[in-house]
Amino acid sequence: MIKIAPSILSADFVNLERDIKKVSSADYLHVDVMDGCFVPNITIGVPVVKSIRKCTDMFLDVHLMIDKPLRYIEDFAKAGADLLSIHLEADHPTRIAEALKVMGECGVKKAVALRPITAAEAVLPYLELGVDLVLVMTVEPGFGGQAFMESQLDTIRQVRAIIEKYNPACELEVDGGIAPKTAPLVVEAGANVLVAGSAVYGKEDIPAAIAALRV
């Protein structure tokens, strides 16, 4: 089954609780955390994730686009994240592995994320550590509304092949430029979780927009 994860990056932050309720028919709620260091943008932190947890029982898919994420794993877990994804480019591999270990100790699902510059093979050591999800970015992380990078379809296919060989239970999520036109492409390439921002929140009928992505 294809899962849809609306990104609150495209929501109205003045009316965040209202906009979260609008996407209740989705499977996950994607929460983008940016620190202005790993990516050239700043969004939200632990206090907002904690507030989000209080107003919804949706599965919180928290994407940490932050430098040296090990420092904050426990805080985001306590704030209510159900899954934490960290970028392989954000720290040394040994500290990425340690961060995944801490996630397990905190009872949250473990995920790693790849920027477009990163080869699919980079996920292999972490699949063997039992990650629950791999996130492939189809835009450069940092800002919503960017154009889908078709070159990343090959990366999605390669990651799917590696997952099937080493950790078949792992989910494959894609984030960036997802819309009704691009969703079938990433699903065909092997993705089963689709993150969408403006393709959901930019529509008048949000439940219909979510349904349109379930290719």
Side-chain angles (χ1 to χ4, degrees):
M1 182 186 80
I2 303 305
K3 298 177 180 179
I4 307 301
S7 170
I8 64 167
L9 190 61
S10 296
D12 179 356
F13 275 43
V14 174
N15 297 287
L16 192 52
E17 181 176 3
R18 179 202 67 187
D19 279 11
I20 288 171
K21 292 184 185 304
K22 286 182 177 180
V23 298
S24 60
S25 64
D27 305 279
Y28 295 169
L29 186 69
H30 192 79
V31 181
D32 288 308
V33 176
M34 307 182 194
D35 64 356
C37 183
F38 180 69
V39 293
N41 194 9
I42 297 174
T43 53
I44 62 175
V46 171
V48 176
V49 173
K50 189 174 182 179
S51 295
I52 291 170
R53 177 77 290 162
K54 290 177 181 177
C55 74
T56 182
D57 60 0
M58 290 183 72
F59 184 95
L60 295 189
D61 166 17
V62 180
H63 180 191
L64 300 182
M65 288 174 269
I66 63 176
D67 194 41
K68 297 179 174 57
L70 175 58
R71 300 173 292 168
Y72 299 105
I73 298 301
E74 189 173 351
D75 291 336
F76 278 104
K78 288 180 177 177
D82 292 298
L83 176 145
L84 292 169
S85 56
I86 57 175
H87 274 267
L88 297 185
E89 311 87 1
D91 207 343
H92 188 277
T94 58
R95 285 186 287 275
I96 295 298
E98 179 63 20
L100 294 171
K101 179 183 177 183
V102 174
M103 289 180 205
E105 293 169 350
C106 290
V108 299
K109 289 185 177 294
K110 309 181 293 289
V112 292
L114 306 180
R115 289 178 58 194
I117 62 169
T118 304
E121 292 79 11
V123 305
L124 182 53
Y126 309 101
L127 283 170
E128 294 175 334
L129 292 176
V131 295
D132 299 287
L133 180 145
V134 173
L135 167 56
V136 175
M137 297 294 297
T138 44
V139 298
E140 278 295 337
F143 294 92
Q146 298 182 65
F148 178 82
M149 298 171 63
E150 287 203 24
S151 59
Q152 283 299 92
L153 290 171
D154 284 339
T155 301
I156 297 168
R157 293 186 189 99
Q158 292 164 19
V159 171
R160 170 51 69 189
I162 295 170
I163 285 173
E164 291 302 316
K165 185 173 182 180
Y166 294 99
N167 185 358
C170 180
E171 295 192 297
L172 177 49
E173 182 175 62
V174 173
D175 181 2
I178 298 299
K181 182 179 179 181
T182 56
L185 301 178
V186 300
V187 170
E188 184 180 11
N192 73 294
V193 183
L194 310 184
V195 178
S198 56
V200 171
Y201 279 113
K203 304 300 182 182
E204 192 72 28
D205 188 338
I206 288 179
I210 291 169
L213 296 172
R214 296 188 190 278
V215 290

